[in-house]
Amino acid sequence: MPKSKKKKKRVSVPKKKGRKPFYMLPDWLHWVITAALILVISVGAYYLFLRPYFYRLRPCLGAREYGVCLPTGFLCYGIDVSHHQGKIDWETVARSSVENGYPIRFVIMKATESNTFTDPDYIDNIDKARKAGFVCGVYHFYDPSTSPQKQAQHYINTVNLKKGDFVPVVDVERAGRSQDLRRDLLVYLKELEKHYGVKPIIYASAKFRKRHLNSAEFDAYPFWVAHYYVVRPVTEKKWMMWQFTDHASVTGISGYTDFNVFKGSEADFQSLRIK
């Protein structure tokens, strides 16, 4: 007779306890997590993309000219330019700024970058801006990866400052290694001091200055701070000029340009000019 097959007993294995999948969570917890994600994304989007533009919608405490709200309580206004602005009609800039009642008094223009580049519009800009009656300043865009001595020599070879011009200006936006930047930038500044006999102006954003140039050596130099979309620049450092927008419209200049105010007295203003 055929042998009867014995049925194997099924052994039940206890299920491991663990976290439930997201879709098995209670509905109320789904809503809480979703609301939290929406809140985080909304706050991030506001601070990164929307908040800067809300500044432009605030009511002006002073005058709205040049397409921007002008900060009040300062001695005078100025612009800074480079070849990115294209050919500038300096006579029109001077005439229009006087006509609107908020004249531009100073212009700071790019001349050099690193140890070889010269702004192609520098000579034309400074010659015509001087003739139009502006107090002129000339800046160098600093390259932390290049010899500070060579950069200083390039600026000196290119820039012939005259009586009444602003002292030299150095634009510092690239960090490299902070320790090397501080050491080499001081070398660059000292080279210019030795040649021109004056302390140059340092241009940097408020955040960059705090992060990379926050030392007593740089406090001895006049500071030109860049900080947009604020009522006043947020910095612990003393400053003499403030670049408050890069979105100004000036008749005689195509597109937008940077706009600045000068803080201090007339004596402070004169102290930054070549004697």
Side-chain angles (χ1 to χ4, degrees):
M1 291 180 67
K3 294 181 179 179
S4 59
K5 294 181 179 180
K6 292 183 179 181
K7 292 183 179 179
K8 293 181 178 180
K9 291 183 179 180
R10 293 182 179 178
V11 179
S12 59
V13 179
K15 293 182 179 180
K16 293 181 180 179
K17 293 182 180 181
R19 295 180 181 177
K20 292 182 179 180
F22 180 76
Y23 63 85
M24 294 181 64
L25 296 176
D27 288 344
W28 68 268
L29 192 52
H30 284 175
W31 285 109
V32 170
I33 294 173
T34 302
L37 287 173
I38 292 173
L39 179 62
V40 170
I41 293 171
S42 299
V43 170
Y46 168 74
Y47 276 95
L48 290 174
F49 303 111
L50 299 177
R51 185 169 174 262
Y53 295 97
F54 286 168
Y55 173 78
R56 296 175 184 168
L57 302 177
R58 294 177 188 171
C60 281
L61 301 177
R64 185 177 288 280
E65 297 291 344
Y66 304 106
V68 294
C69 185
L70 295 180
T72 57
F74 294 98
L75 179 70
C76 60
Y77 301 99
I79 57 175
D80 56 280
V81 300
S82 70
H83 65 280
H84 294 295
Q85 275 68 46
K87 295 297 180 182
I88 298 173
D89 186 339
W90 288 106
E91 290 185 1
T92 298
V93 173
R95 183 172 60 253
S96 63
S97 73
V98 171
E99 289 172 352
N100 69 27
Y102 296 90
I104 296 168
R105 187 173 178 187
F106 63 92
V107 177
I108 301 177
M109 59 202 69
K110 182 176 182 177
T112 54
E113 179 176 340
S114 192
N115 65 332
T116 57
F117 179 80
T118 300
D119 191 294
D121 291 331
Y122 163 62
I123 296 298
D124 188 62
N125 280 337
I126 195 163
D127 286 346
K128 292 180 179 178
R130 281 170 174 161
K131 289 177 182 176
F134 294 106
V135 174
C136 292
V138 183
Y139 76 87
H140 171 80
F141 191 91
Y142 188 80
D143 180 359
S145 66
T146 304
S147 161
Q149 292 93 342
K150 289 182 178 179
Q151 292 190 74
Q153 195 58 52
H154 179 43
Y155 182 91
I156 291 167
N157 292 342
T158 305
V159 178
N160 179 25
L161 293 175
K162 297 183 178 180
K163 182 179 179 180
D165 289 339
F166 270 152
V167 299
V169 182
V170 56
D171 176 350
V172 191
E173 300 180 33
R174 298 175 185 168
R177 294 174 59 186
S178 290
Q179 185 175 356
D180 293 344
L181 172 67
R182 289 192 289 270
R183 180 198 63 207
D184 291 349
L185 182 58
L186 283 172
V187 171
Y188 173 86
L189 293 168
K190 295 298 182 184
E191 290 290 321
L192 263 60
E193 284 182 68
K194 186 165 54 177
H195 180 80
Y196 294 101
V198 293
K199 284 189 174 297
I201 297 167
I202 298 174
Y203 166 96
S205 71
K207 185 181 293 186
F208 189 98
R209 178 71 186 267
K210 182 177 182 180
R211 184 176 298 172
H212 302 289
L213 304 177
N214 192 19
S215 60
E217 296 97 330
F218 298 107
D219 291 344
Y221 294 88
F223 181 28
W224 174 15
V225 59
H227 200 174
Y228 304 159
Y229 316 125
V230 291
V231 177
R232 288 290 186 272
V234 182
T235 174
E236 298 174 354
K237 300 299 182 183
K238 293 181 179 179
W239 53 273
M240 299 192 78
M241 289 187 290
W242 169 28
Q243 186 185 84
F244 63 89
T245 184
D246 60 349
H247 212 72
S249 297
V250 177
T251 305
I253 300 178
S254 300
Y256 296 114
T257 191
D258 303 331
F259 219 81
N260 307 269
V261 292
F262 185 87
K263 176 187 177 184
S265 65
E266 181 64 29
D268 294 327
F269 188 84
Q270 297 301 329
S271 71
L272 292 183
R273 301 179 70 180
I274 297 291
K275 302 298 188 287

